[in-house]
Amino acid sequence: MVPFAGYNMPVKYEGVLAEHKWTRAEAGLFDVSHMGQARLSGEGAIAVLEALTPTDFAILPQGKQKYSLLLNEEGGILDDWMVSRPFAEGFMLVVNAACKEQDFDIIADFIADDETGADVEFEVLSDRALLALQGPKAKDVMKGLCPAATEMYFMECGTFQLLGEVAYISRSGYTGEDGFEISFPAARVGDLWDELLSNPIVKPIGLGARDSLRLEAGMPLYGHEMGAGYTLAEANLGFAMNKSRLARGDIKGIDRLRAQLDGQLDRVRVAIRVLEGPPAREGAKILSEEGAELGIVTSGVPSPSLGYSIAMGYVPPASSAIGTKLKLETRGKPYAAEIVSLPFVANGYHRKPKG
């Protein structure tokens, strides 16, 4: 167990390597109740969300979910959010544990200062827990508990009855696998945890494997690849911004963002394969083949799925092309590496067929 954001969190149960491989092959169960949950509803809810993020929530229909970013006045990333619309009258928010007090204060302050008079209800859901069931067999487990939830596709959500309680379920997660995130009453989440683990397909998974899974999937993590000093253009998170918002120009830091999207970037997030030497951890220097300092590694692990070490970090755009040879400085020595494409491991999302 380790302290994190005011909670004692399990790093591992059986072992990070075993838990990682189990989630890639079967179904892993994560307790992510430390993350913040809130409900935003009323006629002004869309305006609140759009004032704080680059996303067009007016076009998000009921039953859908969207990844978005909380921005500061300079367009820097204060947090990343999952915003879902499981019911017609409003939105559910899931935010990072370390940022939730900041995020909820920003929302509450914006509503308090708003002079439009639009009706908005904002409620922090401290009485709800959050479980993530992830892996290629997660659907088989969910089919036995809540068959209707398995009819959803990736990034869809809904309100369901589960063990006699109201559950807000989305078909999403942060491992790159098919799976479900389940918002459930905290008072009864122990019952749900035990019920899910009664299926031999499911094992509990700790934070260690959650981090290696998300890195293999190429997903940035707040505090590593994201922070107030990075913009969505630098972090390659343009999918969190709708073209309609860019055209309207009502995004925080829009002038800086437009310049970056026009090519005035000093750095971009890249994926790196380590070709020799030890794993490169956060803070390791990224060097050119000739030894010039280019940037730093923001996350790095030995990949359990691939059998070699992988990393993400930031380099100048001129050094970001796929196949570019680099050096990573670990323990004072440079080791060969190269830029590769994301994700490192192909995702297993249950996507809706096109057409």
Side-chain angles (χ1 to χ4, degrees), residues 225 230 234-235 267-269 286 294-296 298 312-316:
E225 288 74 39
Y230 297 111
E234 293 171 321
R267 59 186 177 178
V268 291
R269 178 170 63 98
I286 304 174
L294 300 175
I296 61 166
T298 49
M312 285 196 284
Y314 282 85
V315 300

Side-chain angles (χ1 to χ4, degrees), residues 158-182:
T159 304
F160 302 89
Q161 285 289 319
L162 186 56
L163 302 185
E165 303 284 352
V166 173
Y168 303 113
I169 303 176
S170 62
R171 195 150 192 174
S172 61
Y174 222 61
T175 63
E177 292 294 335
D178 182 24
F180 304 86
E181 290 203 341
I182 308 165

Side-chain angles (χ1 to χ4, degrees), residues 32 52 90 92 108 111 169 179 186 197 227 231 256 278 289 304 315 328 333:
V32 287
L52 303 175
M92 292 280 289
I111 293 171
I169 303 176
L197 287 180
T231 69
R256 179 187 183 193
E289 279 198 294
V315 300
L328 299 181
K333 295 183 179 179

Side-chain angles (χ1 to χ4, degrees), residues 285-295 319 326-327:
K285 292 180 181 178
I286 304 174
L287 311 173
S288 70
E289 279 198 294
E290 294 75 28
E293 190 169 336
L294 300 175
S319 301
L326 303 167
K327 299 283 187 180

Side-chain angles (χ1 to χ4, degrees), residues 25-316:
E26 306 285 341
L29 182 60
F30 303 78
D31 181 357
V32 287
S33 300
H34 58 301
M35 303 186 78
Q37 297 185 70
R39 180 189 289 115
L40 192 63
S41 56
E43 62 177 304
I46 291 174
V48 173
L49 290 172
E50 294 191 355
L52 303 175
T53 73
T55 308
D56 188 342
F57 285 102
I59 62 174
L60 185 68
Q62 182 181 352
K64 294 285 189 178
Q65 186 178 46
K66 182 74 177 175
Y67 177 87
S68 191
L69 301 167
L70 176 65
L71 303 181
N72 63 22
E73 296 299 327
E74 292 74 42
I77 301 171
L78 292 174
D79 197 8
D80 61 334
W81 291 354
M82 292 302 295
V83 183
S84 57
R85 204 169 192 175
F87 31 70
E89 63 270 22
F91 301 87
M92 292 280 289
L93 279 65
V94 176
V95 310
N96 281 303
C99 302
K100 59 185 178 184
E101 289 188 13
Q102 162 205 267
D103 296 4
F104 295 157
D105 284 347
I106 288 174
I107 294 171
D109 289 346
F110 182 87
I111 293 171
D113 294 340
D114 184 35
E115 297 179 351
T116 66
D119 174 42
V120 184
E121 295 180 14
F122 175 58
E123 181 184 7
V124 176
L125 303 175
S126 55
D127 61 342
R128 298 194 75 84
L130 190 67
L131 300 183
L133 181 67
Q134 302 282 290
K137 296 183 180 178
K139 62 181 183 305
D140 302 321
V141 179
M142 186 61 80
K143 190 170 291 182
L145 284 175
C146 185
T150 65
E151 296 176 6
M152 295 190 295
Y153 291 101
F154 179 58
M155 296 299 277
E156 292 185 343
C157 61
T159 304
F160 302 89
Q161 285 289 319
L162 186 56
L163 302 185
E165 303 284 352
V166 173
Y168 303 113
I169 303 176
S170 62
R171 195 150 192 174
S172 61
Y174 222 61
T175 63
E177 292 294 335
D178 182 24
F180 304 86
E181 290 203 341
I182 308 165
S183 173
F184 200 73
R188 290 210 56 208
V189 73
D191 296 336
L192 179 58
W193 176 268
D194 291 343
E195 180 68 26
L196 288 166
L197 287 180
S198 69
N199 189 320
I201 294 174
V202 184
K203 285 186 176 181
I205 309 296
L207 287 182
R210 183 172 173 83
D211 190 55
S212 55
L213 288 159
R214 71 92 191 166
L215 184 49
E216 284 187 350
M219 296 175 172
L221 183 65
Y222 191 83
H224 294 260
E225 288 74 39
M226 291 182 287
Y230 297 111
T231 69
L232 65 89
E234 293 171 321
N236 274 324
L237 296 174
F239 64 91
M241 175 187 64
N242 290 98
K243 290 182 179 178
S244 55
R245 294 295 309 281
L246 186 62
R248 281 156 47 186
D250 58 353
I251 301 171
K252 289 187 175 184
I254 185 64
D255 293 339
R256 179 187 183 193
L257 184 58
R258 278 185 170 145
Q260 291 182 336
L261 294 173
D262 286 340
Q264 297 179 40
L265 276 169
D266 295 325
R267 59 186 177 178
V268 291
R269 178 170 63 98
V270 293
I272 303 169
R273 174 177 177 173
V274 179
L275 299 176
E276 64 176 9
R281 303 295 187 179
E282 181 183 6
K285 292 180 181 178
I286 304 174
L287 311 173
S288 70
E289 279 198 294
E290 294 75 28
E293 190 169 336
L294 300 175
I296 61 166
V297 167
T298 49
S299 295
V301 295
S303 167
S305 300
L306 299 172
Y308 52 79
S309 294
I310 58 176
M312 285 196 284
Y314 282 85
V315 300

